[in-house]
Amino acid sequence: MVTPADGTRVADPDGPARRLRAEIERLRDEAERQKGLAHRRAEFWTKAHIALGFPAALLAGTAGAAGLATADARIPAALLALASAGFAAGAGFLRSDARCRANKRARHAWAALEGRATVKLAREHLSPEDLAELLDHRQAALSAYDADDPQPGPPPALPG
């Protein structure tokens, strides 16, 4: 709505188109932020997976070697095995490898949403269907964090 100097309101013919463009820009900006966040989370979980998995494997091997070396080394071997089990249990509990994969899937989904929004914003005329399509892709990006297996292809179309 436009308000002239006399205080009356005049309908702005470009209002809906401007709001539609603003909403798509907001989605693009959100996708850009979420893509970066998912990237940082994937890096964190990769490091956590290595930080827990490598010591577990190293300590398990050392405990086995120490236990087989002499009978006097059984107590240190048991302590090493216990530490190895702790690292392995921590890695299993945190599921850092699954979290890393989920964040990588989400990063790709957010990047796809960002790209689609950028392409749509390059067009002169936008439609509500463009926004609906982007919202479907946003929902797919949000659900990428929870999916155990990546879903091939575009997100399913919403009924209606």
Side-chain angles (χ1 to χ4, degrees), residues 117-138:
T118 300
V119 168
K120 289 191 183 300
L121 287 170
R123 297 190 330 208
E124 188 172 332
H125 298 289
L126 297 170
S127 69
E129 290 79 21
D130 292 332
L131 179 59
E133 178 190 339
L134 292 175
L135 289 173
D136 288 345
H137 284 283
R138 179 181 183 272

Side-chain angles (χ1 to χ4, degrees), residues 2 19 31 34 49 51 53 65-67 71 85 87 102 109-110 115-116 118 122 132 138 155:
V2 177
R19 287 192 304 271
Q34 291 293 337
H49 185 63
F87 277 109
W110 286 115
R116 287 177 188 276
T118 300
R138 179 181 183 272

Side-chain angles (χ1 to χ4, degrees), residues 27-45 103-114 141 145:
L27 279 172
R28 181 195 58 201
D29 294 343
E30 177 190 13
E32 183 180 0
R33 282 190 310 277
Q34 291 293 337
K35 178 183 70 173
L37 184 59
H39 179 73
R40 288 190 300 279
R41 286 177 178 164
E43 286 180 337
F44 170 80
W45 287 114
N103 277 285
K104 286 181 179 182
R105 279 193 307 272
R107 180 182 63 200
H108 290 293
W110 286 115
L113 173 60
E114 180 187 13
Y145 292 106

Side-chain angles (χ1 to χ4, degrees), residues 53-128:
F54 183 73
L58 185 65
L59 289 172
T62 306
L68 293 175
T70 65
D72 294 336
R74 65 187 166 113
I75 292 177
L79 292 174
L80 289 173
L82 188 60
S84 172
F87 277 109
F93 174 76
L94 290 175
R95 296 184 39 215
S96 53
D97 58 334
R99 291 174 190 254
C100 178
R101 281 192 309 271
N103 277 285
K104 286 181 179 182
R105 279 193 307 272
R107 180 182 63 200
H108 290 293
W110 286 115
L113 173 60
E114 180 187 13
R116 287 177 188 276
T118 300
V119 168
K120 289 191 183 300
L121 287 170
R123 297 190 330 208
E124 188 172 332
H125 298 289
L126 297 170
S127 69

